[in-house]
Amino acid sequence: MFPERRLRRLRRKGICEILSENTVSRKDLIAPLFVDERAEEPVGIGSMPGQMRYPIDDTAERARELWEKGIRSILLFGIPAEKDAEGSSAWTEDGVVQQAVRRIRRNVPEMVICTDVCACEYTDHGHCGIVGDTHCGPDLLNDPSLAVMERIAVSHARAGADIVAPSCMLDGMVLSIRRALDAAAREDVLIMSYSTKFASAFYGPFREAAESGYAFGDRRSYQLNPANANEALRESEEDAMEGADILMVKPAGFYLDVLAGVKTLGLPVAAYQVSGEYAMIRAAAERGWLDEKAAVLETLTCLKRAGADLIVTYFADEAAGWIP
Ligand code: PBG
């Protein structure tokens, strides 16, 4: 009891640092990388100041830059030149992501290359797979879309991806991709499932970055209701049972309770600090309302505390300069 016990002793300078329960290190960070098949030079993204879309030719150099800053893993998103109803440019051998993966693999051989597996950047309607009529009107069709995800994942794996990351929230997507990878003799490729992904307003800036806004409806029939924690855990449980190697919670900062819950499943967990979370901090910092470095390090540390093993963040590049 006080006065013998004084918790403030734990927070003396020097003591506080050695007693820190959680730390973020560069190896925890995954840097997203947008590759634009039509770009001839890096193009700034209006809704995400500081982020760029890179031409295929520049991706290896960008990956090398990140590697030299201590980033060990990147997550690729492609913006194709052509879109159609099935998103067929997503699985061609010379598709935008496939080309980028091969270049990065050649030039930065040790980089852990993750690829986003989804069709929304590649379909003309902007939904994440095949759409058709359902009893609730036009919507994403689950089982026909699984075949699309299998093809995309296998083509990424053949190009040299280490980790495929399906982000479409289809039922059965992990199992079907696992079987397709194994049938293609890619049993060593990991699946990092966007296993608990909410239908969030905070993806807004990304949809400009990746040109993946949808022509009708929304994503609420496949992404989770932000109000639901039990269902959120079940989604990750299912993916764990289907063979996911790494689970994910997305967005990150408003879903720390969910992250802590998913962590109890025993698999490695990634947290995705999404475009809107990035934009919020960026915009406030640009106005001088927030100290950017302090705010970013606080958010990343809190994600570790809640259970994240890996963090996908648009701040990866800058944060790498601030942490060990
Ligand atoms: C593709 C995908 C999205 C994001 C990652 N993968 C968009 C969406 O689901 O609408 C969002 C990432 C971000 O906001 O940073 N399905």
Side-chain angles (χ1 to χ4, degrees):
M1 285 283 224
F2 181 81
E4 286 81 10
R5 280 224 230 171
R6 291 176 182 269
L7 291 177
R8 285 188 59 194
R9 273 200 290 270
L10 300 172
R11 301 195 285 270
R12 279 179 44 190
K13 203 158 182 291
I15 306 293
C16 176
E17 282 71 34
I18 65 170
L19 289 182
S20 174
E21 294 176 38
N22 291 286
T23 41
V24 196
S25 56
R26 294 170 186 153
K27 69 150 186 67
D28 303 328
L29 305 181
I30 301 178
L33 183 55
F34 294 106
V35 190
D36 185 341
E37 194 169 12
R38 295 154 315 175
E40 276 162 17
E41 53 193 64
V43 189
I45 300 166
S47 53
M48 300 176 72
Q51 297 297 306
M52 303 278 211
R53 303 207 307 215
Y54 293 90
I56 295 172
D57 282 348
D58 290 8
T59 48
E61 194 189 318
R62 177 65 185 143
R64 153 112 3 243
E65 244 171 55
L66 289 164
W67 179 265
E68 276 161 11
K69 291 181 178 181
I71 297 296
R72 293 292 168 260
S73 177
I74 54 178
L75 173 60
L76 298 186
F77 293 94
I79 299 105
E82 308 289 340
K83 305 192 189 217
D84 61 23
E86 286 83 40
S88 60
S89 55
W91 66 75
T92 50
E93 208 189 308
D94 62 348
V96 53
V97 167
Q98 292 81 352
Q99 290 190 56
V101 168
R102 283 195 291 269
R103 280 169 198 239
I104 296 165
R105 178 57 67 230
R106 260 201 314 275
N107 290 282
V108 197
E110 287 166 278
M111 182 66 95
V112 176
I113 305 175
C114 313
T115 57
D116 186 80
V117 173
C118 193
C120 61
E121 296 100 332
Y122 304 86
T123 52
D124 48 19
H125 45 72
H127 283 283
C128 299
I130 307 290
V131 294
D133 281 322
T134 70
H135 58 276
C136 308
D139 200 356
L140 182 67
L141 302 177
N142 197 84
D143 298 15
S145 300
L146 290 176
V148 171
M149 299 313 141
E150 291 172 20
R151 293 171 111 166
I152 301 175
V154 168
S155 73
H156 289 177
R158 288 208 168 109
D162 299 290
I163 302 180
V164 293
S167 64
C168 49
M169 286 291 285
L170 294 169
D171 288 332
M173 70 181 182
V174 173
L175 182 63
S176 56
I177 289 173
R178 183 71 272 156
R179 288 187 175 154
L181 289 172
D182 290 1
R186 292 294 186 284
E187 49 283 283
D188 56 344
V189 170
L190 287 81
I191 299 176
M192 173 166 72
S193 177
Y194 287 65
S195 52
T196 290
K197 176 174 174 181
F198 293 91
S200 173
F202 289 88
Y203 307 152
F206 173 93
R207 290 179 187 152
E208 179 190 327
E211 289 183 13
S212 64
Y214 31 78
F216 64 88
D218 55 41
R219 302 210 204 288
R220 281 183 291 181
S221 75
Y222 40 110
Q223 299 178 351
L224 284 157
N225 177 351
N228 293 0
N230 288 327
E231 191 187 350
L233 192 57
R234 286 183 63 200
E235 278 286 356
S236 274
E237 260 165 14
E238 290 292 330
D239 286 11
M241 285 189 297
E242 289 179 24
D245 300 286
I246 304 171
L247 301 172
M248 189 194 287
V249 175
K250 176 187 174 197
F254 302 111
Y255 297 87
L256 296 183
D257 56 330
V258 175
L259 180 56
V262 169
K263 180 66 183 171
T264 64
L265 298 174
L267 268 64
V269 182
Y272 196 139
Q273 184 174 56
V274 301
S275 55
E277 298 178 88
Y278 172 83
M280 269 193 319
I281 295 177
R282 244 303 127 87
E286 275 181 357
R287 286 169 171 73
W289 295 345
L290 269 182
D291 173 342
E292 183 165 82
K293 177 178 172 185
V296 169
L297 292 179
E298 182 176 330
T299 60
L300 301 179
T301 305
C302 291
L303 295 173
K304 291 289 291 184
R305 191 202 63 230
D309 299 286
L310 295 167
I311 302 170
V312 183
T313 174
Y314 301 98
F315 289 115
D317 182 345
E318 277 154 304
W322 301 330
I323 58 181

